[in-house]
Structures are given as structure tokens and as C-alpha cells.
Amino acid sequence: MKNFALVGAAGYIAPRHMKAIKETNNQLVAAYDPYDGVGIMDSFFPNADFFVEFERFDRHIEKLKRNNTPLDFVSVCSPNYLHDSHIRFGLRRDADVICEKPIVLNPWNIDALEDVEKESKGNIYTILQLRHHPSIVALKQKVEEGDPDKIYDIDLSYLTSRGHWYYTSWKGDVSKSGGIATNIGVHFYDMLTWVFGPVISNTVHIHTHDRAAGYLELEKARVRWFLSINYDTIPEAIKAKGMRTYRSITVDGQEIEFSGGFTDLHTVSYQHIINGTGYRIGDTRQAIEIVHDIRNKEAIGLTGDYHPLAKGELAKHPFSRD
């Protein structure tokens, strides 16, 4: 049984990490979050110690070490801009670190962390759960076994409504979240490059506070993508069903069904990490480079091969650079 500490216990994604720790038959011994609304811990680890001040959390972890209680893993679910610091904390405690995506906001942060990792006893792992999804694994196998010269046409659409709270939270601050492409798109970019190969070109058509659209040319695919957190952009047929989220990936016009199974993929990811076969920080580089480039490119407007859902959006919401 491995001992875990968790940084960011009150966040949206934290319960999936708690569930993964429990379902892999391990123990959460301590957790930290400046917000104390963490009653969800009772469903998984009611006896775990909890702290709202990082200094006291740090002191407790040191106490465990001096009492010969090993800390095997630190799971990081904090806001994006704090990942770098919290990963370093885990490595300094001689623990392996499991960090949510995006693991960092900029490619050079990966370089720095890899240097620290080499000097440490621990390793840095991340959650790239779509690489474990059966539909995506099957797609990758199909591409690898198919015509080596074939270039696939991909449409990626991810529209997930967010309320006014979003813009008050750290997620609405580009300097802290990395913007919409980083916040809700990074795992899709990772999946696409994992399946279809590295980036050849990266074009941004629209980039505002609540939506982004662009075109990625990959080694084996042409990808039109559209991301939005604005309910108004959701297709009317989806709204009519009472749904506030629309997620779609088509390959050569055929829908890839991957809506189910998401809640169990963190457990699968944890099992691979504990077995020594999890994804390392270097595996995240391509996706981090993509979102960094999107964040810093000038949006060119609706020219060239843009996503169908982006049509008409410029008149309502002029594009801007985050």
C-alpha cells in the first residue's frame, strides 16, 4: 500500500484522484487546499489529515518523514499556474509526483522540471487519460495499421458551458489558467498528436475569452478545432435535449464515440503509474507547445480551412489575442 498526499483537494478534478487512490488500494494520508469545502473526502479517506495552510501541510509532511512514515506519491490538482511549484514540493519530499494536465503552462517549464527531476529521487508523472480510452486506443491502432500515406480529416468540437463564476475564478485569468485552449483543450491536443503524429503547422482563427478555433496540420491529419465555454455556441439540437455540453470528434466524417468511460480513466492512469508504466512529464511536451503557440499567435479570422461552428462568430464577438 502506497501513501499519498494530495494538493488541491477542493477542486473539480480532485475526487477522481481520490477515487483512483482508493481503487488502486492505496492510502491518502494528508491533503491540502486553502478552501475547506472538502466533505467529499469522507467518501474516500475520512481519516486523512487536512490543512488549509500550505505551511502547516508542509510541516505535517516533514513530521511523517521523521516518524518513518514514507510518502510515496504527491498528487497535484491545484490551479494550473501552481503546478510547477507543487511538483517541486513533491520532489523535494523524495516522492513521485502525479500532476493533472496541463502539467505546466510553458514548454520551458518542462525543461526546468526535468532538470530538477534528474537531481531528485522521485519521478514526475501526468494524467493523459484519453490515451487509455478504448475508442482512442482503437483509433490509434487503425491509423498505425492503415495506409501509411493517408492523411485523415478531423473535426474536433468541445463546447462546455460555464457560468459567470468562471471569469471570477483563476480559470478566467489567462496568466493563471493559460486560457481556454489550455484549460479545456490540452488533453484533446495530446490525444490527436499521440494518434496522428507531430505538428506541422498551427493556425488560430478565433481566440477570445470564451471560445477559440483553429487549424492544426499534423503528420497524418488535418484538424479543424473549435472550443467554447459559451452556451450560445452549442448547436440548437443539443440545447433541445437540455444538454449544456457538446463533444464531438469526427474522422473522415465518421463520429468517434468516446463519451463514456471518462470517470474510470484516472484509475487506469494511476494503475499504470504505480506499475511504473505511466506517462512522464516529457510525454506532455507536444501538447504544451501547441497550447502555448495558440495563446501567443495572432488570430487571423475566418480565412482558410476553419471549423464550421466558427462561422458567423466574428460578427458577434470580435476575435482578440489573449
Side-chain angles (χ1 to χ4, degrees):
M1 180 178 287
K2 304 292 185 182
N3 287 333
F4 281 75
L6 176 65
V7 179
Y12 164 78
I13 206 66
R16 294 192 189 180
H17 286 258
M18 295 178 196
K19 179 173 180 280
I21 294 169
K22 188 175 182 65
E23 290 185 345
T24 53
N25 298 313
N26 296 296
Q27 183 70 28
L28 181 66
V29 297
Y32 158 73
D33 201 291
Y35 175 65
D36 62 6
V38 292
I40 187 66
M41 290 179 61
D42 287 344
S43 299
F44 299 102
F45 299 102
N47 295 322
D49 291 303
F50 175 70
F51 301 86
V52 295
E53 295 171 281
F54 187 80
E55 293 79 5
R56 291 186 175 184
F57 172 70
D58 180 39
R59 183 176 64 192
H60 181 74
I61 297 301
E62 176 68 19
K63 180 180 177 182
L64 292 177
K65 178 181 178 180
R66 295 188 180 278
N67 289 339
N68 295 317
T69 300
L71 181 64
D72 301 293
F73 287 91
V74 173
S75 295
V76 177
C77 303
S78 52
N80 299 350
Y81 72 107
L82 298 176
H83 286 178
D84 182 288
S85 176
H86 292 149
I87 290 170
R88 293 169 187 270
F89 163 79
L91 293 178
R92 286 196 300 270
R93 293 304 180 186
D94 296 332
D96 289 328
V97 178
I98 303 174
C99 186
E100 258 299 336
K101 60 202 166 299
I103 197 162
V104 288
L105 295 181
N106 303 297
W108 55 85
N109 301 138
I110 294 176
D111 300 331
L113 283 172
E114 284 183 327
D115 288 341
V116 176
E117 183 184 43
K118 291 174 184 176
E119 301 165 358
S120 308
K121 294 181 180 179
N123 296 314
I124 306 170
Y125 297 95
T126 191
I127 303 294
L128 302 175
Q129 78 267 37
L130 284 181
R131 296 193 187 193
H132 296 300
H133 195 291
S135 296
I136 304 305
V137 172
L139 175 62
K140 182 175 174 64
Q141 182 177 358
K142 175 183 175 181
V143 171
E144 290 177 344
E145 296 176 353
D147 182 352
D149 298 320
K150 179 174 174 58
I151 305 298
Y152 297 82
D153 288 310
I154 314 294
D155 275 357
L156 163 65
S157 312
Y158 184 44
L159 292 69
T160 179
S161 306
R162 296 289 186 265
H164 294 303
W165 66 267
Y166 183 94
Y167 302 105
T168 303
S169 77
W170 64 266
K171 294 184 178 184
D173 184 336
V174 175
S175 68
K176 294 181 177 180
S177 70
I180 185 172
T182 306
N183 230 6
I184 70 170
V186 67
H187 55 303
F188 291 113
Y189 301 126
D190 172 76
M191 177 271 288
L192 289 168
T193 54
W194 184 63
V195 174
F196 297 104
V199 175
I200 296 172
S201 66
N202 183 350
T203 302
V204 178
H205 295 121
I206 300 173
H207 198 180
T208 73
H209 63 290
D210 65 3
R211 73 200 69 192
Y215 174 82
L216 279 173
E217 184 179 357
L218 306 180
E219 183 179 59
K220 296 182 69 65
R222 295 177 289 259
V223 182
R224 301 185 300 185
W225 56 270
F226 182 77
L227 307 172
S228 174
I229 56 172
N230 189 318
Y231 176 76
D232 292 339
T233 62
I234 294 179
E236 292 300 326
I238 304 301
K239 292 180 182 178
K241 298 178 182 179
M243 299 171 62
R244 297 181 58 84
T245 296
Y246 174 65
R247 181 170 50 214
S248 170
I249 294 179
T250 61
V251 179
D252 291 338
Q254 298 296 312
E255 187 78 29
I256 301 298
E257 176 52 51
F258 68 109
S259 56
F262 269 87
T263 56
D264 298 323
L265 294 180
H266 276 69
T267 298
V268 175
S269 298
Y270 264 66
Q271 192 62 68
H272 278 277
I273 290 168
I274 292 166
N275 292 342
T277 58
Y279 289 110
R280 303 287 294 277
I281 184 172
D283 296 313
T284 69
R285 184 177 297 275
Q286 180 80 93
I288 298 301
E289 289 176 346
I290 290 172
V291 294
H292 171 267
D293 289 347
I294 290 172
R295 188 163 64 245
N296 290 282
K297 281 179 176 287
E298 292 285 355
I300 64 172
L302 296 185
T303 62
D305 194 7
Y306 56 84
H307 194 289
L309 287 177
K311 187 175 183 180
E313 297 303 330
L314 284 179
K316 303 175 189 175
H317 301 272
F319 67 88
S320 64
R321 181 180 180 181
D322 277 335

